[in-house]
Amino acid sequence: MKQLAILLSDQYRLLSVAAILDVFESVNRFYIADGKQPAFDISLYNSGTDNGERMLEFNGYPVRSILDSQKQDIVFIPAFVSVDIAQAVFENQKYVPWLQQQFKAGAELACVCTGAFLLGATGLLNHRQATTHVDACKQFANFFRQLSYRQIRWLPAMVVCIQAEALRQAFT
């Protein structure tokens, strides 16, 4: 079973988190219907230090702190609310070392739409092709000049992945 972490970053888009959960919960249901164990053990993570409060649960899943996290196989970064992307990236710098650490330990990193900004902030996309939501393309290209940016006008499900082997295995 693959360990799947969904990062509840500051200013995450609820719809993005819901979509990620829906896809992986569906895969787990298909596995169970075929008499197999679920493919993914889904966990949600946040900084655990926001305003002295800690979210304990999200849609039936416990929310864990990145400070207490184990090595993950896959880490998903949801989209940001896109009002002020630069501010969102600044507020989420606390996740950059954790994402880098997870990657170095072998985790595959993936993001949806404007979550690409946080993934780009890790430096792990440098000299790779990357894209983001069509409404944020120009800002993305300006924000990350060291990327081999590629504007794509429309994708049915915009996901950027690096080291996507675990995802390929689960969906084949």
Side-chain angles (χ1 to χ4, degrees), residues 1-9 17 20-21 24 39-46 61-66 69-78 95 98-99 102 107-112 166-167:
M1 183 178 312
K2 298 290 182 185
Q3 300 299 311
L4 171 68
I6 300 172
L7 183 62
L8 296 178
S9 56
V17 174
I20 295 166
L21 281 171
F24 290 98
F40 298 99
D41 180 18
I42 303 169
S43 299
L44 287 84
Y45 285 89
N46 67 11
Y61 291 94
V63 177
R64 298 179 170 111
S65 169
I66 60 169
S69 72
Q70 305 290 326
K71 184 231 174 249
Q72 300 296 306
D73 295 307
I74 305 165
V75 177
F76 247 96
I77 305 167
Y95 295 111
W98 182 74
L99 290 166
Q102 288 292 324
E108 299 172 15
L109 304 182
C111 61
V112 178
L167 291 172

Side-chain angles (χ1 to χ4, degrees), residues 49-163:
T49 59
D50 299 327
N51 302 327
E53 297 178 19
R54 182 159 180 201
M55 185 186 314
L56 299 176
E57 180 188 350
F58 183 97
N59 198 42
Y61 291 94
V63 177
R64 298 179 170 111
S65 169
I66 60 169
L67 304 174
D68 304 324
S69 72
Q70 305 290 326
K71 184 231 174 249
Q72 300 296 306
D73 295 307
I74 305 165
V75 177
F76 247 96
I77 305 167
F80 290 126
V81 175
S82 56
V83 175
D84 187 347
I85 296 288
Q87 181 63 32
V89 171
F90 176 76
E91 289 177 16
N92 285 286
Q93 285 296 312
K94 60 191 165 206
Y95 295 111
V96 168
W98 182 74
L99 290 166
Q100 292 168 331
Q101 176 188 39
Q102 288 292 324
F103 181 78
K104 286 177 186 168
E108 299 172 15
L109 304 182
C111 61
V112 178
C113 293
T114 53
F117 282 82
L118 184 54
L119 187 52
T122 66
L124 297 171
L125 291 179
N126 289 358
H127 311 295
R128 297 177 188 250
Q129 283 195 350
T131 193
T132 188
H133 189 280
V134 66
D135 292 337
C137 287
K138 190 176 276 187
Q139 190 176 8
F140 189 73
N142 290 333
F143 213 80
F144 300 109
R145 300 228 180 250
Q146 68 278 24
L147 299 182
S148 179
Y149 169 72
R150 182 172 169 214
Q151 182 170 354
I152 298 174
R153 295 224 176 261
W154 182 83
L155 287 174
M158 210 313 282
V159 177
V160 174
C161 295
I162 51 178
Q163 285 189 335

